[in-house]
C-alpha cells in the first residue's frame, strides 16, 4: 500500500525498517475514533466551504460504510498499511475516488493521532470508571454485611487494635473513590481538541475549530499548535492514575492472599476464583489475587516507559511518540482485566467470623482500651500505658489474657482497677465505643458505606468530611 508520505523519497522503505515503523497492529484499535474524527473534520471543511457539499456527502457516507463493514466483518484490516490513518484513507479513496483524497485537507497525521488517542482514552477511562464504581459498590455491600465482624487491625503486621472486617473493607472503598476522583480530574485535562494544529504550525485554511470541538464533544481547544501535537501529558497522567489504582488493588490482593491462608483463615475464596496444585491435592490457591498483585509491576513499568520516552523530546512531533500507545493501552487492558475479576471475587468470598474473632481474642489488642480505662479515672496516659504494658507482659508469662486475669491481680498493678474494667476491655465494647468520625464501630461503618454510595450516585467522588460547617 502506498504511504501517505510517498512523493519525496525515490526508493521504497527497507522491509525491516517498515516493520519497525508501522503501527497498524496496535493503533487499529482506534479506528472508530479515527473515523468519527474524520467525519467531524469533513463536516467542518464543508461548512467552511473548503470542500464541496458533494465531497462531504461522499466522504461521510463512505467512512460510515467502512466502519459498518469493519464491525460486521465484511471488511478486514490490511496489515500492510502503515497505520490506522493510512488504512482508512486508502480504503475510503478506493471506494469514492478523488473525494477521499480531499479528506486530509488542513490536517496532519500529527494532530489526527493526537485526536484519536484523546478520544480513545476518554472512552476507555469511562469504562474503567464504571468497573471501579462496581468494585466500590461490592466493597460497600460486603462492609455493610460485615460491619460488626470483629478482627484484629494490624500495624507492622502485628495485631494492634480491634476493628471490624467491614471497616477494613471500607478503607479500600475510600482508596478507590480517590482513584475515581483522580480519573475524573485527568479527563478534564484530556478534554482539549488538538485537531487544527496540523503538523505543528497550524494552517492557512479558514478552519472553524470550535465547530469541530462541538461535533466531537470537546469543551476546550489547544491554544498552541506545537503543544497541541506534542502534548502527551494526558497519557502520562492517565498511566499514573492507573498505576495508583493498581497499587490499591495490589494491596487488597495481598490481604486476600493472607486472609485466605491456613494461618489466617479469615476468608475462603470461591472455587471460581481459585486454582489447585498439580502435585498437592489439598491446595486451594488464590491465584487471581496473586495475578492482580503481580500485574501491578507491568503497569508501573508502562508509566516509567512513557516518562522515559518523552523526557528528552524537542518540539514538536517526533516518531518516538508512537511508543506512547502500546504502553498506555497495556495499562488500560491490565486494569480492566483485574477489575473485571476483582468485583465478583469479593462478592463471592466467604468470611469466617469465628476465625476473625479468635484472632482478635488472642493478641492483647484491647490493651489500649485498658490504658484508656485508667486514663478516664484520672491516671496520666503515659503512666496508664506503662501499667498496661506490665500487665500484658505478666499475662504472657502466665499464658493468660486481660479478660481472664482476676481483679485482685489487676489491683496489684494499680488500685484504680475495678470490676468495670472487664466491660471496658470487652472486644465488642472496644469496637462499639470507637465512635470518632471515621472509626470502626458498626454504626460508623454503615455511615461510611452510605456516604460512599451517595457520592457514587451524585458522581461526586470526594468523600472526606468537611472540616468546617
Amino acid at each position: 500500500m502506498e504511504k501517505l508520505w510517498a512523493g519525496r523519497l525515490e526508493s521504497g522503505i527497507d522491509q525491516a525498517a517498515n516493520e519497525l515503523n508501522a503501527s497498524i497492529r496496535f493503533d487499529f484499535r482506534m479506528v472508530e475514533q479515527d473515523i468519527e474524527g474524520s467525519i467531524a473534520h469533513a463536516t467542518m471543511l464543508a461548512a467552511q466551504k473548503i470542500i464541496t457539499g458533494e465531497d462531504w456527502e461522499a466522504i461521510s457516507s463512505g467512512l460510515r460504510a467502512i466502519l459498518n463493514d469493519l464491525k460486521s466483518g465484511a471488511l478486514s484490516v490490511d496489515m500492510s498499511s502503515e497505520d490506522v490513518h493510512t488504512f482508512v484513507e486508502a480504503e475510503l479513496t478506493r471506494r469514492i475516488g478523488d473525494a477521499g483524497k480531499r479528506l486530509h485537507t488542513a490536517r496532519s497525521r500529527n494532530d489526527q493521532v493526537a485526536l484519536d488517542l484523546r478520544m480513545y482514552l476518554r472512552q476507555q477511562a469511562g469504562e474503567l470508571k464504571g468497573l471501579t464504581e462496581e468494585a466500590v459498590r461490592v466493597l460497600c455491600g460486603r462492609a455493610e454485611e460485615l460491619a460488626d465482624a470483629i478482627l484484629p487491625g494490624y500495624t507492622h503486621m502485628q495485631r494492634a487494635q480491634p476493628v471490624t472486617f467491614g471497616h477494613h473493607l471500607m478503607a479500600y472503598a475510600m482508596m478507590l473513590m480517590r482513584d475515581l476522583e483522580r480519573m475524573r480530574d485527568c479527563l478534564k485535562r484530556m478534554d482539549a481538541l488538538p485537531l487544527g494544529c496540523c503538523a505543528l504550525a497550524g494552517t492557512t485554511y479558514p478552519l472553524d475549530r470550535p465547530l469541530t470541538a462541538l461535533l466531537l464533544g470537546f469543551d476546550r481547544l489547544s491554544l498552541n499548535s506545537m503543544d497541541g501535537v506534542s502534548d502527551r501529558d494526558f497519557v502520562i497522567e492517565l498511566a499514573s492514575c492507573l498505576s495508583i489504582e493498581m497499587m490499591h488493588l495490589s494491596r487488597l490482593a495481598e490481604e486476600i492472599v493472607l486472609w485466605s491462608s491456613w494461618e489466617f483463615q479469615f476468608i475462603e475464596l470461591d472455587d471460581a476464583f481459585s486454582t489447585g496444585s498439580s502435585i498437592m491435592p489439598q491446595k486451594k490457591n488464590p491465584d487471581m489475587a496473586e495475578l492482580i498483585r503481580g500485574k501491578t509491576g507491568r503497569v508501573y513499568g508502562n508509566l516509567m516507559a512513557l516518562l522515559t520516552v518523552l523526557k528528552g523530546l524537542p518540539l514538536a512531533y517526533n516518531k518516538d511518540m508512537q511508543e506512547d500507545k502500546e504502553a498506555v493501552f497495556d495499562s488500560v487492558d491490565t486494569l480492566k482485566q483485574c477489575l473485571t475479576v476483582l468485583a465478583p471475587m469479593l462478592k463471592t468470598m466467604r468470611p469466617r467470623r469465628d476465625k476473625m474473632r479468635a484472632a482478635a481474642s488472642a493478641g492483647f489488642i484491647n490493651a489500649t482500651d485498658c490504658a484508656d480505662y485508667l486514663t478516664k479515672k484520672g491516671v496520666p496516659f503515659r503512666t496508664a500505658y506503662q501499667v498496661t504494658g506490665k500487665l500484658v507482659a505478666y499475662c504472657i508469662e502466665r499464658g493468660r489474657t486481660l479478660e481472664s486475669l482476676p481483679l485482685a491481680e489487676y489491683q496489684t498493678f494499680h488500685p484504680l482497677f475495678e470490676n468495670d474494667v472487664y466491660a471496658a476491655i470487652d472486644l465488642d465494647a472496644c469496637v462499639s465505643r470507637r465512635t470518632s468520625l471515621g472509626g470502626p464501630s458498626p454504626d460508623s461503618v454503615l455511615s461510611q458505606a452510605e456516604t460512599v454510595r451517595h457520592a457514587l450516585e451524585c458522581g461526586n467522588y470526594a468523600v472526606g468530611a468537611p472540616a468546617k460547617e
Side-chain angles (χ1 to χ4, degrees), residues 416-435:
L416 289 180
F417 279 118
E418 300 290 345
N419 274 321
D420 57 352
V421 68
Y422 297 106
I425 61 174
D426 176 76
L427 287 176
D428 291 293
C430 291
V431 171
S432 63
R433 284 198 308 267
R434 283 181 159 76
T435 57

Side-chain angles (χ1 to χ4, degrees), residues 18-33:
N18 184 60
E19 291 175 1
L20 176 64
N21 181 60
S23 58
I24 186 69
R25 61 183 174 81
F26 54 83
D27 68 16
F28 186 73
R29 67 165 67 193
M30 302 188 300
V31 66
E32 190 166 347
Q33 289 74 29

Side-chain angles (χ1 to χ4, degrees), residues 134-151 163-174 252 259 267 343 346-349 351 353 356 431 439-453:
E134 175 59 20
V136 171
R137 290 188 184 94
V138 171
L139 285 167
C140 287
R142 298 313 306 262
E144 289 165 337
E145 172 193 342
L146 299 160
D148 61 347
I150 295 177
L151 81 166
V163 295
T164 65
F165 198 50
H167 188 60
H168 205 128
L169 293 177
M170 283 308 301
Y172 286 103
M174 298 300 176
L252 177 53
W259 291 338
I267 63 167
L346 292 172
K347 188 178 292 186
T348 57
M349 72 179 183
R353 287 174 176 262
M356 296 179 195
V431 171
S441 71
D443 286 345
S444 174
V445 172
L446 295 176
S447 176
Q448 291 172 42
E450 181 182 5
T451 299
V452 168
R453 287 185 187 279

Side-chain angles (χ1 to χ4, degrees), residues 325-439:
K325 295 168 198 63
E326 287 180 282
V328 74
F329 291 169
D330 181 69
S331 291
V332 166
D333 293 346
T334 300
L335 178 57
K336 188 180 295 186
Q337 186 178 40
C338 292
L339 285 169
T340 301
V341 168
L342 178 69
M345 181 168 66
L346 292 172
K347 188 178 292 186
T348 57
M349 72 179 183
R350 291 179 287 279
R352 296 286 306 275
R353 287 174 176 262
D354 57 333
K355 296 294 184 180
M356 296 179 195
R357 183 71 183 225
S361 299
F364 297 98
I365 62 176
N366 49 2
T368 302
D369 297 271
C370 184
D372 288 342
Y373 168 86
L374 288 177
T375 301
K376 290 172 183 177
K377 293 203 169 190
V379 179
F381 176 76
R382 189 52 58 199
T383 301
Y385 171 94
Q386 292 169 348
V387 168
T388 304
K390 292 175 182 178
L391 264 171
V392 169
Y394 179 83
C395 288
I396 291 173
E397 287 176 5
R398 288 157 180 78
R400 292 181 179 178
T401 64
L402 291 175
E403 295 91 331
S404 65
L405 193 67
L407 179 60
E409 293 182 50
Y410 265 107
Q411 292 176 335
T412 63
F413 288 87
H414 202 285
L416 289 180
F417 279 118
E418 300 290 345
N419 274 321
D420 57 352
V421 68
Y422 297 106
I425 61 174
D426 176 76
L427 287 176
D428 291 293
C430 291
V431 171
S432 63
R433 284 198 308 267
R434 283 181 159 76
T435 57
S436 58
L437 184 65

Side-chain angles (χ1 to χ4, degrees), residues 225-241:
S225 59
M226 296 182 76
D227 179 58
V229 298
S230 63
D231 169 30
R232 292 298 184 272
D233 290 2
F234 65 96
V235 179
I236 294 173
E237 186 173 7
L238 180 61
S240 175
C241 292

